[in-house]
């Protein structure tokens, strides 16, 4: 039996847990993860609003619906629309706004000035933390985004196996992506690292990713199960069994007790919330206002217009679990501690 209640795991031990289907070990894994979360933040869970404001993208990631070659309807929202949706999300009780985009050539051309202006307004007028998920951008743009006040830079490697990376993020450079993240950290932003489950990785790859997340100093770490996308090269690949994602969430919690770890509503909608929180996640992401015309990523419309991806809906589920959504002030306090 592995001893789970500790922060240090060797790579071999991680692999052993990832390979195990021993019910006793798994029960122990999830209850240890929950216990650690409770020790760190009691019954509080954080919540992020998701604002995917341009779905144009120059890249061709094989797993993604929004890849450039996919013949789909796209949108690019203006500053006013982004601010209105952000404000609605803040009023509904989210702790942070995640400004996400495809790698839209138009924003690159104007050096992200519009994005920097939006960040400043959300920070100054709405007094709310901001995460920026722009894909790979130049150091100069990172400087501008940091200066505008962005708190978090999210950029997921998806895997730390370079060969697999090349198959997933076709034509993109592994080091360029990693270095953008590290540069953002150097400039004072907190960084989020992430991986995809079910894209051809093995247990050793996952263990490498879990350890790398800590080595690069990521303060938010995520895993999302791959969802096949219509019209993409991986359209006919199967979505993995969710146990893989849940085990990874629990291992991240045990390895990194203070990390922000999302339960993303993007993978299985609101019905997937409980299992992910029970695996040790401490943050709900991909909250999107209904009927706003903004989309998700992996499941781009699931539960959105039905009002399933709202703070209110999440709150009622957490309530049954004896948990509550933290206030913005509590979240700010948390990241202040994390920064120390
Ligand atoms: N375009 C930016 C980028 O790629 O970094 C930011 C947004 S991108 C849409 C955010 C993340 O969504 C990806 O890094 C990937 O982890 C996740 N994602 C995209 N397609 C997915 C899919 N089919 N299933 C699960 N997750 C997916
Ligand atoms: C989420 N759909 O949190 C969002 C997205 C980008 N920073 C996050 C993948 O699940
Ligand atoms: Fe573009 Fe991001 Fe999708 Fe890749 S994952 S195609 S960079 S939107």
């Amino acid at each position: 039996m592995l001893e789970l209640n500790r922060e240090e795991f060797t790579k071999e031990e991680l692999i052993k847990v990832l390979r195990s289907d021993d019910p006793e070990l798994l029960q122990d894994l999830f209850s240890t993860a929950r216990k650690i979360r409770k020790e760190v933040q009691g019954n509080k869970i954080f919540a992020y609003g998701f604002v995917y404001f341009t779905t144009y993208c120059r890249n061709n990631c094989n797993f993604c619906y929004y890849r450039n070659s996919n013949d789909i309807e796209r949108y690019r929202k203006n500053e006013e629309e982004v601010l209105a949706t952000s404000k609605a999300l803040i009023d509904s009780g989210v702790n942070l706004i995640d400004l996400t985009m495809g790698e839209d050539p138009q924003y690159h051309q104007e050096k992200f000035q519009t994005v920097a202006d939006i960040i400043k307004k959300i920070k100054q007028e709405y007094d709310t933390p901001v995460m920026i998920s722009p894909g790979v951008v130049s150091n100069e743009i990172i400087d501008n985004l940091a200066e505008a006040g962005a708190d978090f830079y999210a950029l997921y490697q998806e895997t730390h196996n370079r060969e697999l990376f090349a198959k997933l993020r076709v034509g993109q450079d592994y080091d360029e992506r990693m270095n953008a993240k590290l540069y953002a950290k150097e400039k004072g932003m907190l960084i989020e690292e992430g991986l995809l489950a079910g894209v051809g990785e093995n247990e050793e790859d996952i263990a490498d990713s879990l350890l790398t997340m800590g080595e690069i100093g990521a303060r938010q770490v995520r895993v999302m199960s791959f969802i096949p996308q219509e019209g993409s090269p991986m359209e006919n690949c199967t979505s993995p069994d969710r146990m893989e994602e849940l085990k990874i969430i629990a291992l991240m919690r045990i390895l990194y007790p203070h990390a922000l770890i999302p339960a993303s509503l993007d993978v299985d909608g609101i019905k997937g919330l409980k299992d992910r929180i029970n695996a040790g996640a401490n943050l709900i992401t991909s909250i999107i206002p209904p009927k706003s015309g903004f989309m998700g990523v992996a499941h781009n419309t699931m539960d959105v217009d039905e009002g399933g991806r709202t703070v209110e809906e999440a709150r009622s589920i957490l309530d049954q679990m004896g948990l509550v959504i933290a206030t913005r002030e509590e979240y700010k306090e948390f990241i202040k501690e994390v920064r120390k």
Side-chain angles (χ1 to χ4, degrees):
M1 190 62 158
L2 287 165
E3 199 197 320
L4 289 169
N5 192 8
R6 55 179 227 234
E7 290 176 31
E8 296 279 324
F9 262 99
T10 64
K11 185 168 158 185
E12 286 64 38
E13 286 170 321
L14 289 171
I15 292 174
K16 227 175 188 176
V17 176
L18 289 163
R19 288 201 180 133
S20 170
D21 55 7
D22 172 359
E24 219 176 295
L25 182 139
L26 295 178
Q27 212 182 8
D28 206 15
L29 176 73
F30 296 128
S31 67
T32 303
R34 284 195 295 275
K35 188 171 136 237
I36 293 174
R37 184 191 60 218
K38 196 169 175 197
E39 275 164 18
V40 171
Q41 63 189 77
N43 65 345
K44 304 247 182 342
I45 299 290
F46 301 116
Y48 288 1
F50 183 62
V51 183
Y52 197 6
F53 64 95
T54 170
T55 59
Y56 286 86
C57 187
R58 62 184 180 186
N59 286 338
N60 260 316
C61 301
N62 273 340
F63 50 82
C64 183
Y65 181 65
Y66 301 98
R67 65 198 303 272
N68 187 277
S69 309
N70 214 7
D71 185 17
I72 53 167
E73 226 177 278
R74 297 176 193 267
Y75 63 74
R76 185 182 286 121
K77 304 285 184 188
N78 63 33
E79 184 173 330
E80 211 180 9
E81 291 168 310
V82 173
L83 288 171
T85 290
S86 302
K87 181 72 168 64
L89 282 163
I90 293 163
D91 290 344
S92 79
V94 302
N95 305 139
L96 168 149
I97 298 293
D98 177 6
L99 293 175
T100 296
M101 56 193 290
E103 292 196 8
D104 186 340
Q106 192 162 306
Y107 283 100
H108 276 265
Q109 217 166 37
E110 52 128 81
K111 298 214 164 129
F112 282 64
Q113 204 39 60
T114 311
V115 183
D117 290 343
I118 294 173
I119 297 171
K120 279 184 203 150
K121 290 214 175 98
I122 298 177
K123 293 284 296 186
Q124 287 161 14
E125 290 174 27
Y126 307 156
D127 192 23
T128 298
V130 173
M131 166 179 273
I132 175 90
S133 311
V136 172
V137 294
S138 67
N139 286 357
E140 188 191 349
I141 292 172
I142 293 176
D143 288 341
N144 287 343
L145 299 176
E147 206 168 302
D151 299 272
F152 253 110
Y153 183 55
L155 192 67
Y156 318 139
Q157 216 68 18
E158 327 295 358
T159 175
H160 298 82
N161 172 333
R162 285 169 184 266
E163 254 170 66
L164 183 56
F165 177 95
K167 284 189 200 153
L168 297 171
R169 289 194 160 267
V170 183
Q172 297 168 49
D173 190 273
Y174 182 97
D175 293 304
E176 192 187 3
R177 197 167 175 87
M178 182 54 88
N179 289 338
K181 206 158 22 205
L182 297 177
Y183 184 75
K185 192 181 81 168
E186 207 179 296
K187 289 291 145 176
M189 277 192 252
L190 299 167
I191 55 169
E192 179 180 19
E193 177 60 300
L195 57 140
L196 281 178
V199 288
E201 74 286 358
N202 61 29
E203 288 85 1
E204 190 179 350
D205 295 329
I206 301 170
D208 282 333
S209 287
L210 287 169
L211 297 171
T212 306
M213 288 170 160
E215 280 157 21
I216 64 173
R219 294 291 183 248
Q220 185 167 314
V221 288
R222 79 158 59 207
V223 53
M224 284 168 70
S225 297
F226 163 70
I227 306 291
Q229 302 298 324
E230 206 182 331
S232 72
M234 291 170 72
E235 174 172 9
N236 296 318
C237 298
T238 43
S239 195
D241 186 288
R242 295 298 182 263
M243 187 49 87
E244 179 180 343
E245 181 181 330
L246 297 177
K247 277 186 193 173
I248 297 172
I249 289 176
L251 287 171
M252 292 190 299
R253 170 59 60 222
I254 295 168
L255 285 168
Y256 311 118
H258 295 272
L260 287 149
I261 302 176
S264 173
L265 302 184
D266 213 28
V267 183
D268 292 319
I270 195 75
K271 67 177 186 302
L273 179 61
K274 193 172 169 191
D275 283 351
R276 288 171 175 82
I277 295 288
N278 275 336
N282 62 345
L283 160 67
I284 305 165
T285 65
S286 225
I287 290 175
I288 305 175
K291 312 245 161 51
S292 60
F294 284 76
M295 291 177 106
V297 178
H299 268 308
N300 50 46
T301 54
M302 182 189 251
D303 287 348
V304 176
D305 280 349
E306 296 78 10
R309 289 212 211 171
T310 55
V311 171
E312 208 184 339
E313 197 64 28
R315 195 172 271 139
S316 74
I317 291 170
L318 292 183
D319 189 46
Q320 296 160 21
M321 302 169 72
L323 298 167
V324 298
I325 292 188
T327 63
R328 219 165 355 128
E329 289 314 312
E330 284 165 339
Y331 177 75
K332 284 194 203 161
E333 205 44 51
F334 187 87
I335 55 172
K336 206 154 101 195
E337 283 299 310
V338 166
R339 274 184 189 287
K340 277 185 188 163

